[in-house]
Amino acid sequence: MQLFGQALGLGTLGLVAGVIGAVIAALATRSQTSTLTSYVQHFAAGLIIAAATLDLLPEALHLGGGWPLIVGFVLGTAFMLALRSLLTRVGHSHHPGDDPHHDHHGHDDAHGHDAHSPTTATGVNLRLIVALAVVVLIDGAIIGVALSAGGAAALLIAIALSIELLFVAASTAGSTRAGGGSLGTAIGVGTFVAAMMPIGAVLGALVFAGVSAPVLVAGLAFGAAALLFTAVAELLVEAYEIKESTGTIAMAAAGFLVFLLLMMLM
């Protein structure tokens, strides 16, 4: 029971961050702080890469590694690639800093949506919301797996994913407002997506609590692959759409170093 309480608490960090992002985007969908966004995304990417390489994978190797690690890592990568493909087809990839008024092919329509993105009368793109909710659910499950493995860095992983979720929820709420949705609807859909974080964390802890070492190894490797994919294929790709600078690159290194130092202290 204590494990599930911890998972719920860590997942709630993401929920709070997501609600904050959704409120900000719903109130000011066109206020652009692109430079700050790039700095934060680089820092979050550094944290996430460190979480995968300094905590999840070493823990998986300590528990035995071998084929379960390889299979879990391959499955994690394949799953994230499949989700990315799905999100691309519905007109919006999983980029935390997406500009809700611009799609990734460089085309805008009157409401800031891809021409093929189906929206309801309230401005909600249902397929997009569902797909993003699945992504955040997986992110939350990674927290639960880390807790089940006894990883000391579960809190740090939760913080890194919460930073990412802030931008995901903001993008979701902003695109809803741009599509004609009300303030309440925009905040509501952003909150719905963010709520998947604590749900995923509890489910991850529930599924992996007390499992055999090979299954736990596979789960850790799956989570590491998902984290690395999120950092390299999502956060950094989105951040580099803004002109890179020495400062932004240093922020990625700072994120990695902060995670390393906190692990040493813990």
Side-chain angles (χ1 to χ4, degrees):
M1 186 62 67
Q2 182 180 1
L3 178 66
F4 301 144
Q6 291 175 336
L8 180 61
L10 293 181
T12 301
L13 291 177
L15 173 58
V16 171
V19 171
I20 292 173
V23 170
I24 292 173
L27 291 174
T29 57
R30 288 187 181 273
S31 80
Q32 192 57 256
T33 54
S34 59
T35 300
L36 177 61
T37 297
S38 182
Y39 272 74
V40 173
Q41 286 174 328
H42 274 81
F43 186 81
L47 283 174
I48 289 174
I49 291 171
T53 58
L54 299 180
D55 184 66
L56 294 186
L57 288 177
E59 184 68 23
L61 288 169
H62 176 72
L63 290 173
W67 284 107
L69 189 153
I70 295 173
V71 170
F73 195 90
V74 170
L75 288 177
T77 302
F79 183 84
M80 295 302 289
L81 284 170
L83 278 177
R84 182 184 178 89
S85 176
L86 172 64
L87 289 169
T88 299
R89 287 211 302 269
V90 300
H92 193 302
S93 70
H94 178 43
H95 288 169
D98 276 344
D99 180 351
H101 308 286
H102 182 74
D103 75 8
H104 291 282
H105 301 290
H107 301 299
D108 295 294
D109 68 9
H111 300 294
H113 290 288
D114 180 85
H116 301 291
S117 297
T119 57
T120 66
T122 57
V124 178
N125 184 335
L126 292 176
R127 287 193 300 180
L128 171 61
I129 299 305
V130 170
L132 286 177
V134 171
V135 172
V136 175
L137 190 71
I138 294 299
D139 285 348
I142 293 171
I143 298 172
V145 173
L147 280 171
S148 299
L155 172 60
L156 303 181
I157 293 173
I159 291 173
L161 290 175
S162 295
I163 293 172
E164 179 206 4
L165 182 53
L166 185 147
F167 291 103
V168 173
S171 175
T172 303
S175 63
T176 300
R177 283 289 277 167
S182 67
L183 179 66
T185 300
I187 295 175
V189 295
T191 300
F192 169 75
V193 170
M196 295 298 107
M197 183 73 82
I199 294 173
V202 171
L203 289 177
L206 178 65
V207 171
F208 286 92
V211 299
S212 63
V215 175
L216 189 55
V217 167
L220 288 168
F222 186 104
L227 287 177
L228 288 173
F229 188 96
T230 297
V232 176
E234 303 295 345
L235 282 171
L236 290 180
V237 168
E238 175 65 21
Y240 277 117
E241 289 187 4
I242 303 165
K243 186 177 181 180
E244 64 185 85
S245 67
T246 302
T248 55
I249 296 172
M251 286 300 289
F256 192 97
L257 181 60
V258 166
F259 192 101
L260 176 60
L261 290 174
L262 289 175
M263 282 197 70
M264 293 169 61
L265 292 174
M266 293 172 66

